[in-house]
Amino acid sequence: MTTTADVLVLGGGIAGLTTALAAARRRLTVIVLDTPRPGAASRAAAGMLAPSVEEIPADMRSAAFEARDFYPAFVDALRQRTGIDVPLDRRGILQLASETDADELRRSAADGAIWLDPYELRSLEPAFADHAGAVLHALDGAVDNVVLMDALERAADAEPAIQRVAAEILTVDADQPSALTRTRGRYFGTRLVLATGAWAGGFPGLPRPLPVRPVRGQLMRLAQSPVHHVTYGAGGYLVPRGDTVLIGATSEEAGFESETSLAGLAALRQIATRAVGGLAGAPVVDHWAGLRPMSLDTHPILDADPDAPALVYACGFSRNGILFAPWAADQLGRVLMGEPAPELEPFRVDRPALATSGRPGTTTTSS
Ligand SMILES: Cc1cc2nc3c(=O)[nH]c(=O)nc-3n(C[C@H](O)[C@H](O)[C@H](O)COP(=O)(O)OP(=O)(O)OC[C@H]3O[C@@H](n4cnc5c(N)ncnc54)[C@H](O)[C@@H]3O)c2cc1C
């Protein structure tokens, strides 16, 4: 088994696997080092592709929409390689209005968004008959991120240029690009890709402090499917999945604690009930928590380190890693080939917002 490759990818979540596949597509050899950790985000997420609803700064917005529109071809290519059909929903996302914010929501709706009055909303989604209207963000939607992760793992395992190694990474050396593992010794790459999610900031040997921390999100799945559209509102969101619905999510500064809590589950039940009264008694199928890899300004960190160009960041994906990762990997594939990737400019590790912005508050709800 070889310990040297063109690209050494640290972390096997959505960021690591999509980057590994993008590198292999460019005929680079890849080793992916990963050990499953409780709270790893990619399977725990809700899978929404919501650039229209999420707060994304102006200089990153076009990338966010490109990332959303990257998905159809991306899942199509995955299906051809793996036979796995990853469910992709592009029906649009509803943003519910209340009596107090309906006018403001209608006025602030982005270009391309459609205002639905209460009658139109009820025709589209009878379960929302009590709401004061909604904005429909066409083309936003969701992907089943669990099936997506299955497909990415299968694609990586079928790719001769990629070797996946189960190993815990202890230290990273950006100068002599390599990583030391607990039981398997040292692995080397011409380039290193740091894609270790919420744990990205914790390695000795990085050339700079990396402002990434875990932010816990709890989710609940209920055994009813009252709506067809992914919906933001009532202090959280609903994501239809098969004949169930995901209710999300808390946003908590709880360190690396990755269990659900009674308080978190009660908050989720409230969101569900405020959105659709009939969900008050719906049985809980499942509940879990994940750790968002939250960067200081809540946006991804991408591109090579300006002081240590062998080190490439694919981390800090925060609340929108399912949305951004496949697009980001495609861009990072260029970086790994030494080609320019100007679209990554707003995401660089040395952007001022990573040095200066304040931390967001604790226990709220978000994606
Ligand atoms: C509740 C919740 C809901 C979310 N909803 C959405 C959503 O709707 N839409 C969206 O776009 N995003 C969403 N996100 C965010 C998204 O899930 C993340 O941004 C994304 O999954 C991050 O992917 P990643 O590969 O960087 O990290 P991860 O998936 O956490 O992967 C990191 C990997 O690195 C491994 N690792 C870490 N340290 C080491 C080490 N020392 N040695 C070996 N392996 C290591 C971990 O075990 C893990 O396998 C949500 C997140 C949460 C928690």
Side-chain angles (χ1 to χ4, degrees):
M1 190 173 274
T2 173
T3 55
T4 302
D6 295 325
V7 183
L8 183 59
V9 176
L10 312 178
I14 191 170
L17 290 178
T18 51
T19 308
L21 287 163
R25 219 166 36 242
R26 289 167 170 85
R27 301 185 188 285
L28 299 171
T29 58
V30 185
I31 296 173
V32 180
L33 300 178
D34 182 80
T35 192
R37 298 201 157 190
S42 298
R43 286 178 181 274
M48 291 179 296
L49 309 175
S52 313
V53 191
E54 290 284 313
E55 284 175 21
I56 296 172
D59 60 348
M60 296 177 180
R61 277 187 80 75
S62 65
F65 285 98
E66 268 183 48
R68 179 195 68 187
D69 297 337
F70 191 80
Y71 255 92
F74 174 68
V75 295
D76 203 41
L78 266 180
R79 189 187 57 241
Q80 286 174 26
R81 290 164 75 164
T82 64
I84 298 178
D85 202 355
V86 180
L88 178 66
D89 164 9
R90 301 201 86 198
R91 268 180 285 225
I93 290 185
L94 286 171
Q95 200 172 2
L96 292 177
S98 66
E99 294 294 347
T100 49
D101 69 4
D103 284 345
E104 194 196 329
L105 187 63
R106 181 172 17 180
R107 269 198 308 272
S108 66
D111 285 351
I114 303 158
W115 169 254
L116 304 176
D117 65 26
Y119 175 77
E120 291 165 325
L121 176 60
R122 200 178 322 137
S123 312
L124 189 67
E125 291 284 10
F128 292 142
D130 296 339
H131 290 271
V135 169
L136 176 65
H137 299 277
L139 299 183
D140 281 16
V143 65
D144 186 325
N145 48 296
V146 177
V147 180
L148 174 61
M149 286 302 294
D150 289 343
L152 289 173
E153 288 181 0
R154 189 180 292 182
D157 289 341
E159 172 54 66
I162 299 177
Q163 184 191 329
R164 288 208 297 146
V165 178
E168 184 173 344
I169 305 148
L170 297 178
T171 61
V172 175
D173 187 335
D175 296 326
Q176 316 227 306
S178 61
L180 181 66
T181 65
R182 186 180 294 285
T183 52
R184 292 174 174 264
R186 187 173 286 279
Y187 284 79
F188 297 86
T190 309
R191 304 273 189 140
L192 289 184
V193 176
L194 187 67
T196 45
W199 296 267
F203 293 103
L206 293 177
R208 65 182 74 229
L210 207 55
V212 177
R213 68 184 195 286
V215 170
R216 178 172 65 171
Q218 302 186 42
L219 277 174
M220 173 191 263
R221 186 209 294 264
L222 298 178
Q224 258 189 39
S225 186
V227 293
H228 304 291
H229 287 80
V230 174
T231 303
Y232 274 62
Y237 53 77
L238 281 66
V239 180
R241 207 168 264 186
D243 54 3
T244 66
V245 61
L246 307 188
I247 310 293
T250 66
S251 185
E252 304 160 82
E253 302 287 346
F256 286 97
E257 173 60 55
S258 61
E259 299 290 321
T260 52
S261 67
L262 286 177
L265 297 179
L268 295 174
R269 178 67 81 172
Q270 261 187 10
I271 292 167
T273 310
R274 277 200 299 258
V276 179
L279 286 174
V284 178
V285 180
D286 202 0
H287 56 84
W288 63 90
L291 302 174
R292 298 179 187 85
M294 196 64 81
S295 74
L296 197 54
D297 67 356
T298 76
H299 305 295
I301 302 173
L302 308 171
D303 212 346
D305 189 293
D307 301 326
L311 178 64
V312 174
Y313 298 105
C315 58
F317 280 95
S318 305
R319 291 192 298 263
N320 289 299
I322 304 299
L323 169 66
F324 271 111
W327 171 87
D330 193 52
Q331 299 290 322
L332 291 173
R334 293 180 199 174
V335 174
L336 293 169
M337 295 296 287
E339 296 166 7
E343 294 196 57
L344 294 183
E345 184 69 27
F347 299 93
R348 286 166 56 104
V349 71
D350 55 357
R351 63 183 184 255
L354 286 183
T356 58
S357 31
R359 290 193 158 195
T362 50
T363 317
T364 49
T365 46
S366 73
S367 57

